[in-house]
Amino acid sequence: MTKTIDTQPISGQRPGTSGLRAKTRAFMEPGYLENFIQAGFNALGGVEGKSLVLGGDGRFYNERAIQIIMKMAAGNKAARVVVGREGILSTPAASAEIRVRGCDAGIILSASHNPGGENEDFGVKFNISNGGPAPESVTDAIYEFTTTITTYQTHDADDVDLSALGESSMGPTVIEVVDPVENYAKLMRTLFDYDAIRAMFAGGFKMRFDAMHAVTGPYASAILEGELGAAAGTVFNGKPLPDFGGGHPDPNPVHAHQLMKEMFSADAPELGAASDGDGDRNMIVGRHCYVTPSDSLAALAANAHLAPGYADGLAGVARSMPTSRAVDRVAQALGISAFETPTGWKFFGNLLDTNKATLCGEESAGTSSNHVREKDGLWAVLLWLNILAARGLSVAELMQDHWSRFGRDYYSRHDYEGVDKAAAEALMAALRDKLPELPGTPINGMTVTAADDFSYTDPVDGSTSAKQGVRIVFGDMARVVFRLSGTGTVGATLRVYMEKFEDDPSQQNEDTQQMLSVLADAAQSLAGIKEHLSRDAPDVMT
Ligand code: G1P
Ligand code: ZN
């Protein structure tokens, strides 16, 4: 039976860079999840007669939230809800399901790489029919609905058994529980040369994949060990846990320290990789060679044609503004376009839909292509495997070759986490005020050539997104970018991104922080980080 429940707006339900993120306990408050879901349904123009994909990364509250959302979908007269078994779907797999099944929308439950648990974070993201995150026009509408909502619709029904595959009905709605891996694995087979990768593993190639007790465990085990013949035990931390084993499921050298240690040990395997909470991020590390996400994007762009799915070459590439310019250099050499978009995957959607870009990436360890409309951690790992198999080089050799051809963009991001929001906003405001005077100014031996607050006009729909981060550019040689995170749940996080180009091999140095120290000093003097935030050093440097 359908029921209309009275509710009232809850403040602060504004979707950020990647959906709505908040403390799990906030989501457990009566009406919090329900209001946001109803607002999302409303913003999609209602879901009556529509089909939805639903799943999450398995974190604490995932299954409860899924039971609530299925009942609300039935209360809103959806035709069908496709839900992953046990409520599991990685973000790229959800995107693939929407596209393969021609669904109208999707709801993904995840706070990505943020820790999970009753005292940690939870999140909800709406995706649209192209399989990608809802664009700003939709997320703005969702927020508007959350400020005026007075009722939501649900359906009185028993919980659905999410362990059994198959269809059941809930009022007007068919609930279909599906294998979360099957369609995704099928899609991967169409893109990569599995025979070549299988032969490489059969020849003794060793790798380690850290699933960080998050959603990619079942995907990586099925594909790497099951289909490609990687040795048993290649995938570790493979069992998804509601609190990710107490860890921080963010695949970077800081949080994937166990993997890093192994990859820099004497008997390190050839390839190490990791993925995050919901499976959309990736980390790539070769034997004694960490590959920054910006370099990974550039190397993938230069070599993607070696994989069958990209054999015709790339239409173009796109990167988020703070991502290093390494991929632009590849695009220039290939004679294809390079787009610079604001941070957040949703800005790639139109470029992929209109075939302006084939490959996209962000410095925050997100890389993907037009096969889905989300970033895709395991896909990036498979593309690397395909390229290594085709070229017969080690990761370190491949990167050396890349840098000798295109030059090297040293890159690092410094994060100041959980700082006072007002102080962080004051820092950004003061920096913005300075921008007009900066061009022409010498700073630490470099001269500012341009300084602005990044504004993006989508080349497809003409929509404009302003105030996307401060860029201070020192010609082609260096850049410093400042922006505030849009995904945090406590206070504010200042991100400072630095990059320096070096094409003279005799000047290239393995110590990235040392290579960038001039820029770190410039960032400090330009923004007055110590003074504004009362912090002496960043919390995380990646
Ligand atoms: C962060 C990353 C951004 C990514 C987003 C979602 O957002 O910087 O590249 O798209 O997470 O994974 P931020 O916290 O910087 O707003
Ligand atoms: Zn993620």
Side-chain angles (χ1 to χ4, degrees):
M1 201 188 63
T2 294
K3 287 194 302 194
T4 302
I5 310 279
D6 290 332
T7 188
Q8 41 184 314
I10 295 168
S11 71
Q13 291 194 298
R14 185 189 279 284
T17 318
S18 204
L20 179 66
R21 298 239 177 116
K23 287 289 161 201
T24 311
R25 283 191 194 276
F27 272 99
M28 293 165 75
E29 289 289 322
Y32 191 97
L33 174 68
E34 293 85 346
N35 281 14
F36 190 72
I37 295 296
Q38 187 65 53
F41 287 167
N42 295 352
L44 293 169
V47 294
E48 183 170 351
K50 292 185 179 172
S51 53
L52 307 172
V53 167
L54 174 62
D57 63 10
R59 70 179 61 220
F60 184 88
Y61 201 55
N62 187 59
E63 179 156 357
R64 204 55 250 135
I66 284 184
Q67 297 289 355
I68 292 170
I69 296 168
M70 287 188 296
K71 291 171 195 175
M72 288 187 65
N76 281 272
K77 302 192 177 62
R80 178 177 291 263
V81 178
V82 175
V83 56
R85 185 178 48 220
E86 309 288 4
I88 293 289
L89 275 177
S90 75
T91 288
S95 184
E97 290 292 353
I98 296 172
R99 295 170 66 79
V100 169
R101 293 170 188 270
C103 290
D104 299 290
I107 300 164
I108 303 174
L109 307 181
S110 174
S112 188
H113 50 286
N114 293 15
E118 199 166 358
N119 296 314
E120 299 294 349
D121 293 352
F122 194 79
V124 177
K125 199 165 67 165
F126 278 91
N127 282 32
I128 55 173
S129 60
N130 71 352
E136 269 186 347
S137 55
V138 176
T139 54
D140 287 348
I142 296 178
Y143 177 64
E144 286 308 317
F145 280 115
T146 67
T147 64
T148 55
I149 190 164
T150 55
T151 59
Y152 65 84
Q153 302 293 119
T154 187
H155 190 90
D156 236 348
D158 290 336
D159 281 357
V160 175
D161 176 5
L162 292 177
S163 66
L165 297 182
E167 294 186 354
S168 59
S169 56
M170 186 188 280
T173 307
V174 175
I175 306 284
E176 183 181 1
V177 180
V178 300
D179 179 332
V181 179
E182 192 178 306
N183 275 333
Y184 178 83
K186 213 188 253 176
L187 178 59
M188 292 302 115
R189 273 176 235 138
T190 66
L191 300 174
F192 303 114
D193 186 349
Y194 273 27
D195 288 340
I197 303 175
R198 255 187 229 118
M200 184 169 76
F201 278 122
F205 181 94
K206 290 200 172 50
M207 95 173 266
R208 292 279 277 163
F209 182 95
D210 185 355
M212 305 188 94
H213 286 305
V215 81
T216 44
Y219 296 86
S221 303
I223 296 174
L224 297 174
E225 296 183 18
E227 295 189 48
L228 294 170
T234 295
V235 177
F236 66 105
N237 295 332
K239 189 175 159 32
L241 297 174
D243 66 347
F244 307 121
H248 198 127
D250 195 0
N252 63 41
V254 177
H255 294 301
H257 47 84
Q258 187 187 342
L259 178 66
M260 286 299 279
K261 207 169 141 202
E262 238 181 271
M263 295 308 299
F264 283 84
S265 69
D267 54 356
E270 280 84 2
L271 180 67
S275 190
D276 72 328
D278 60 330
D280 58 357
R281 294 186 174 199
N282 73 90
M283 179 173 100
I284 298 293
V285 47
R287 188 167 200 277
H288 303 182
C289 173
Y290 168 68
V291 184
T292 69
S294 295
D295 272 349
S296 175
L297 175 64
L300 294 181
N303 293 285
H305 62 279
L306 299 170
Y310 309 95
D312 294 339
L314 308 175
V317 292
R319 62 165 171 84
S320 66
M321 181 273 280
T323 303
S324 96
R325 296 178 287 187
V327 73
D328 302 13
R329 305 184 198 284
V330 176
Q332 203 182 5
L334 295 177
I336 58 175
S337 348
F339 295 89
E340 182 175 42
T341 60
T343 296
W345 206 262
K346 60 188 169 206
F347 293 100
F348 295 133
N350 281 343
L351 298 173
L352 293 166
D353 281 350
T354 55
N355 201 33
K356 290 189 187 311
T358 311
L359 216 65
C360 305
E362 294 193 276
E363 54 68 41
S364 53
T367 336
S368 193
S369 82
N370 57 359
H371 69 290
V372 287
R373 291 295 181 275
E374 288 280 3
K375 51 196 182 234
D376 189 344
L378 197 49
W379 167 90
V381 177
L382 292 168
L383 183 51
W384 263 97
L385 282 168
N386 193 138
I387 291 168
L388 294 176
R391 295 201 52 187
L393 297 176
S394 71
V395 173
E397 286 164 348
L398 190 128
M399 288 318 300
Q400 284 304 335
D401 176 67
H402 185 92
W403 293 324
S404 65
R405 208 169 137 204
F406 300 101
R408 180 166 179 180
D409 290 86
Y410 287 86
Y411 189 84
S412 182
R413 182 176 103 188
H414 292 186
D415 291 336
Y416 297 81
E417 293 178 342
V419 299
D420 181 63
K421 202 162 176 236
E425 279 165 3
L427 176 151
M428 290 301 289
L431 195 53
R432 285 189 175 108
D433 287 346
K434 270 194 199 173
L435 294 177
E437 313 146 19
L438 286 179
T441 313
I443 300 174
N444 298 354
M446 303 169 299
T447 303
V448 177
T449 54
D452 69 353
D453 193 351
F454 181 55
S455 173
Y456 177 69
T457 301
D458 186 296
V460 180
D461 64 20
S463 61
T464 297
S465 306
K467 293 189 137 190
Q468 296 295 319
V470 166
R471 304 188 282 192
I472 298 177
V473 184
F474 304 90
D476 189 37
M477 297 312 293
R479 258 191 352 162
V480 183
V481 170
F482 299 84
R483 61 178 282 281
L484 298 184
S485 157
T487 57
T489 54
V490 183
T493 293
L494 172 71
R495 303 202 195 283
V496 183
Y497 311 79
M498 287 157 283
E499 68 187 82
K500 185 167 185 288
F501 180 63
E502 185 54 76
D503 59 355
D504 176 355
S506 72
Q507 298 301 311
Q508 293 177 0
N509 170 338
E510 279 319 302
D511 187 343
T512 297
Q513 297 304 332
Q514 195 187 324
M515 288 294 289
L516 296 173
S517 64
V518 167
L519 287 169
D521 292 347
Q524 172 56 43
S525 64
L526 281 162
I529 300 170
K530 275 183 197 144
E531 296 72 31
H532 280 285
L533 306 183
S534 317
R535 290 281 176 95
D536 283 332
D539 298 279
V540 181
M541 295 195 243
T542 50

